[in-house]
Amino acid sequence: MIEREVRIIPECYADTVLAKFLFSKPEFVNHALSIGQVAVEMEAERNDSVILIGFVDNDKRIPPYFRDFEEIERGQRVFFKQKDDYSVQHFLVVLDKAIETFLLYNAAQVGIRVTDFGFSEIQKEFQKSLKSQQIEDDEKYHALLKALRTGQAPDFIKIDTFLRQFF
């Protein structure tokens, strides 16, 4: 059996923190600046011994490289896609619509209030607090993610199960 390296490429800072939190090997998570940059990095990597997992929001503009990815599984606010090209092992974890709606939905499902962690429940304000690079070291954000995992938020379980197949 061929040993494959797994790399995750998230598109924003809050996604990067989430991916590192959920993936057992955070050193294999490499931040990209945008969904377009995630696509560029994935398209450039054609090595069949590397499994790439893009971690993106469900943006209205889809980079051309992602257009032939096919949905393989779905949660409530997350879905998973695979590249329709068997010469590469490229996958997408797509947060629907964006990280803030993903988090707010999952928090509500398990009775967690983001306000208890210092965040606003107003989507636009919550979004603004997640967009800065400082979110990477924000203890409140890390505590929120831990509470969502501990509370077994449904899409956290889905992503966790999806990622486990690669390690």
Side-chain angles (χ1 to χ4, degrees):
M1 184 173 155
I2 298 173
E3 184 69 27
R4 289 191 162 93
E5 176 186 340
V6 178
R7 289 200 338 252
I8 297 179
I9 308 170
E11 75 166 298
C12 75
Y13 297 114
D15 290 356
T16 301
V17 175
L18 177 60
K20 285 180 177 180
F21 180 79
L22 293 173
F23 192 54
S24 68
K25 298 180 184 228
E27 65 273 17
F28 294 114
V29 177
N30 303 311
H31 171 75
L33 293 174
S34 67
I35 191 171
Q37 189 61 40
V38 172
V40 166
E41 289 185 32
M42 290 180 77
E43 188 171 16
E45 181 63 68
R46 305 296 295 177
N47 184 342
D48 68 352
S49 67
V50 177
I51 297 171
L52 292 182
I53 304 168
F55 213 94
V56 300
D57 293 338
N58 191 13
D59 292 343
K60 291 177 183 162
R61 286 191 27 208
I62 299 171
Y65 183 68
F66 293 158
R67 290 191 182 137
D68 67 344
F69 277 63
E70 294 181 0
E71 187 174 317
I72 55 174
E73 192 173 346
R74 179 172 282 274
Q76 295 300 310
R77 292 289 188 270
V78 65
F79 56 96
F80 308 95
K81 292 183 154 194
Q82 182 173 10
K83 180 76 172 165
D84 186 19
D85 176 353
Y86 296 105
S87 67
V88 296
Q89 295 259 350
H90 291 183
F91 300 88
L92 291 175
V93 175
V94 183
L95 303 180
D96 195 19
K97 297 184 182 184
I99 186 128
E100 63 275 3
T101 55
F102 168 85
L103 292 171
L104 288 169
Y105 174 83
N106 278 277
Q109 295 307 298
V110 293
I112 292 173
R113 295 176 45 97
V114 297
T115 55
D116 293 344
F117 297 88
F119 296 104
S120 174
E121 288 182 329
I122 299 168
Q123 185 179 326
K124 289 285 186 193
E125 290 178 23
F126 189 36
Q127 176 188 34
K128 186 176 178 183
S129 65
L130 297 175
K131 292 296 178 187
S132 76
Q133 187 172 358
Q134 285 72 30
I135 200 69
E136 292 181 326
D137 298 317
D138 189 319
E139 291 179 20
K140 300 176 304 182
Y141 185 53
H142 288 268
L144 172 61
L145 296 179
K146 184 176 180 180
L148 288 166
R149 176 185 254 172
T150 301
Q152 299 202 336
D155 289 324
F156 273 60
I157 294 169
K158 272 285 198 207
I159 295 171
D160 214 23
T161 301
F162 178 77
L163 293 176
R164 282 179 201 248
Q165 70 184 303
F166 301 109
F167 59 90

